[in-house]
Amino acid sequence: MRPTLSWTPTEEPSPGTTDLAPVAEALDRGGVLVLSGAGISTESGIPDYRGEGGSLSRHTPMTYQDFTADPGARRRYWARSHLGWRTFGRALPNAGHRAVAAFGRHGLLSGVITQNVDGLHQAAGSEGVVDLHGRLDRVVCLGCGDFSDRRELALRLEEANQGFAPVAAGINPDGDADLTDAQVGDFQVVPCTVCGGVLKPDVVFFGEAVPPQRAEQCRALVREASALLVLGSSLTVMSGLRFVRQAAQAGQPVLIVNRDPTRGDRHALARVALPLGDALSAVAGRLGVPLDEARGS
């Protein structure tokens, strides 16, 4: 069974609003839980999956089933990911990330859950972020469970594939670069240095389950929050949508900032259809919260 990569609204989608007052009011009360998706990182040069020009229009993400079952799929993945890492690993936080960090510093948030694997919330200064789908800057061995730093793997792959520098058609939210099979060529994958096993980025692939303990941590954060603020997520996949449904069923306000309609709109008090950086910067201004007073500067 293939994972859900897209959805079609069953009713006429709402155009959304440009009124930021509900978001500002919720944050002003405090205790807000942020759930962020790929849309918050687009202004850092990392495209999203489903927005205008999203990567799903040209790229099917690697699934866990294909990665674990097919050595050829692993070779294609690591070739694309190795090239993409050179760009992905240099991405910097944008105004949206800095606003979330500033809200946290000023005690307005109860937590941050991100569906992204880029680490940009932490780079902006947010603390206690739950990386729902893991982090691309860490690698795990599927054989012995050893963890290692992605930068170390990048050096090993550089050594094993000297001169590998194809021109990619684009970079995707999971860090993959778009390469043809011809460009992948005979790219050499390296094994775990501990046991010789298969290495995988420490991220949740499409078709793979979020670790149960992490999922329960997120459910607990939703239960404790005064409101749920969704930032830049289409909520197409259940891993994020379930927290929106949980909050709505408990009577907690759900607010969404996303330019396009989402799968969770029917559960939300409002969807603000504005660019995230501008919208969150404006909310910070209304609340008198400076964006760049600490590590995000």
Side-chain angles (χ1 to χ4, degrees):
M1 181 177 177
R2 306 298 286 182
T4 299
L5 299 180
S6 62
W7 67 282
T8 301
T10 56
E11 53 192 44
E12 186 68 24
S14 165
T17 180
T18 59
D19 182 10
L20 290 166
V23 176
E25 290 166 3
L27 285 166
D28 195 38
R29 288 191 294 269
V32 173
L33 175 63
V34 164
L35 171 64
S36 71
I40 199 170
S41 293
T42 56
E43 293 172 39
S44 293
I46 300 174
D48 64 10
Y49 283 113
R50 300 172 182 85
E52 184 178 353
S55 67
L56 285 183
S57 63
R58 63 178 190 278
H59 164 79
T60 299
M62 176 61 64
T63 67
Y64 180 78
Q65 292 76 15
D66 288 342
F67 184 89
T68 55
D70 184 358
R74 289 197 293 274
R75 183 175 67 253
R76 290 191 297 273
Y77 173 82
W78 278 119
R80 298 194 308 254
S81 187
H82 178 56
L83 185 63
W85 176 252
R86 297 172 183 173
T87 297
F88 194 92
R90 293 194 297 266
L92 298 174
N94 61 54
H97 300 108
R98 295 197 299 272
V100 171
F103 297 148
R105 286 194 299 272
H106 282 257
L108 308 182
L109 304 181
S110 62
V112 177
I113 301 170
T114 184
Q115 296 174 280
N116 301 336
V117 297
D118 52 37
L120 291 179
H121 279 299
Q122 292 91 330
S126 288
E127 298 181 352
V129 178
V130 179
D131 296 296
L132 183 63
H133 294 152
R135 287 278 295 268
L136 200 63
D137 59 4
R138 193 164 78 156
V139 179
V140 62
C141 174
L142 296 181
C144 67
D146 181 67
F147 289 100
S148 56
D149 191 292
R150 178 61 182 267
R151 290 167 293 188
E152 296 175 4
L153 177 62
L155 292 175
R156 294 179 62 206
L157 289 173
E158 291 282 358
E159 180 65 26
N161 297 277
Q162 296 184 27
F164 180 75
V167 177
I171 304 295
N172 304 304
D174 52 9
D176 275 8
D178 287 329
L179 297 177
T180 65
D181 287 345
Q183 288 176 305
V184 170
D186 58 355
F187 185 87
Q188 299 298 304
V189 177
V190 297
C192 172
T193 57
V194 176
C195 74
V198 171
L199 294 176
K200 172 183 173 292
D202 188 25
V203 301
V204 177
F205 281 178
F206 281 87
E208 183 180 5
V210 173
Q213 185 176 5
R214 192 182 304 163
E216 176 52 37
Q217 181 184 7
C218 293
R219 286 191 289 269
L221 286 171
V222 175
R223 287 194 295 269
E224 297 162 4
S226 65
L228 180 63
L229 177 59
V230 180
L231 303 176
S233 176
S234 67
L235 300 169
T236 295
V237 296
M238 188 55 66
S239 62
L241 179 63
R242 60 183 168 184
F243 302 127
V244 169
R245 289 178 172 175
Q246 177 189 343
Q249 288 169 0
Q252 295 160 295
V254 175
L255 295 159
I256 299 173
V257 183
N258 199 67
R259 296 188 70 171
D260 298 318
T262 82
R263 196 177 175 190
D265 284 2
R266 62 188 296 267
H267 303 292
L269 292 180
R271 176 176 60 85
V272 178
L274 290 173
L276 267 166
D278 291 344
L280 295 182
S281 296
V283 170
R286 289 191 187 192
L287 298 176
V289 174
L291 265 58
D292 296 308
E293 63 184 358
R295 286 184 294 172
S297 60

